[in-house]
Amino acid sequence: MSYERFLADEPVVVTAALTGGIHGKEANPNLPETPKEIGKAAGEVEAAGASVVHVHARRDNGERAFSTERFQAIDEAIRRYTDDVIVQHTTGATQASTEKRHLSLRTDPPPEMASLDMGPLNRYDRLTSENTLATIDALYDEMADRGIKPELEVFNDGHRNEVHGLLERRDLAEPVYATLVFGPGTLTRPRPANFLNAVDDLPEGALFNTLGFGRHQLPFATMGTLFGGNVRVGLEDNVYYRQGELAESNAQLVERVVGIAEELGREVADTSQAREILGL
């Protein structure tokens, strides 16, 4: 059990998921969409204590973008507004071609990290993210070729099996880094017992990141902190600060989990420490 990591005073890495690819300003007008807005949000969360920013791209009309050029513009904006934050691009998508999903890996320079969905999941009534083994392996292979660390996104119990399977097929650099996702639908049910089981079921030596959707963001970030893991918060995953109150910014959500970590006695990793922890 990872509680020993908490007792060992290992710093917690905070990731901010700034915008996502589904809901937009109709859900929360403070959600950043343009490269400049995303860049400024990255600067704000870095100042608040986040060392990693999880990046999706949007078109000018707010719809999801996949082009390398759009990710490049966002990265350049992030570099303008931040000092040394770690950039993590998404490769996830619903009903997008495999080729499009590779485009976020081809910026210059490439991102230090990129997400890698570990299996299929349902989206709304008629949409499914397929994430076949062939897609997972192809995305991983390009990450390996370009020196990008994969962040393995684990949405349910079956995806944890796929983490073990990927380790059998590929030689992942240590430490393996997995984000455990909790929420509705095809995601792992947000129950404390399921959280403990998910942590215990990861490969030996793997580090974990904790992600709770919606109202589950705060309690699961707290559990992740308490049990020696890392945490992800942000407007991609939750547009509210509390019930009925929209979050003012990504930075507001980061500030809250940083305060919780400090109250629990865990140091919050700066970017230098985060790179060492994550093996970047």
Side-chain angles (χ1 to χ4, degrees), residues 14-18 28 45 48 214 217-218 221 231-242 245-260:
V14 176
T15 296
L18 303 176
N28 185 325
V45 298
Q217 184 172 94
L218 182 60
V231 301
R232 167 173 148 172
V233 297
L235 293 176
E236 174 179 351
D237 308 326
N238 175 32
V239 297
Y240 289 94
Y241 187 73
R242 57 176 59 92
E245 180 184 333
L246 291 173
E248 297 174 0
S249 64
N250 283 288
Q252 184 188 34
L253 298 173
V254 170
E255 288 166 357
R256 179 165 61 179
V257 296
V258 166
I260 288 170

Side-chain angles (χ1 to χ4, degrees), residues 55-72:
V55 176
H56 288 250
R58 302 288 189 120
R59 300 174 183 170
D60 290 339
N61 64 2
E63 293 179 357
R64 187 164 189 177
F66 296 94
S67 71
T68 302
E69 292 75 16
R70 196 64 170 181
F71 276 94
Q72 186 76 42

Side-chain angles (χ1 to χ4, degrees), residues 158-189:
H159 292 186
R160 291 201 304 278
N161 286 345
E162 298 294 3
V163 170
H164 289 274
L166 181 62
L167 286 171
E168 292 174 359
R169 300 191 305 274
R170 297 293 189 271
D171 185 18
L172 274 68
E174 295 182 352
V176 173
Y177 191 60
T179 293
L180 304 175
V181 186
F182 301 88
T186 351
L187 311 185
T188 303
R189 293 189 72 201

Side-chain angles (χ1 to χ4, degrees), residues 201-242:
D201 194 38
L202 287 172
E204 184 71 26
L207 302 181
F208 73 92
N209 192 31
T210 314
L211 191 172
F213 273 115
R215 65 182 298 184
H216 306 294
Q217 184 172 94
L218 182 60
F220 276 81
T222 303
M223 285 192 290
T225 302
L226 184 60
F227 282 92
N230 305 294
V231 301
R232 167 173 148 172
V233 297
L235 293 176
E236 174 179 351
D237 308 326
N238 175 32
V239 297
Y240 289 94
Y241 187 73
R242 57 176 59 92

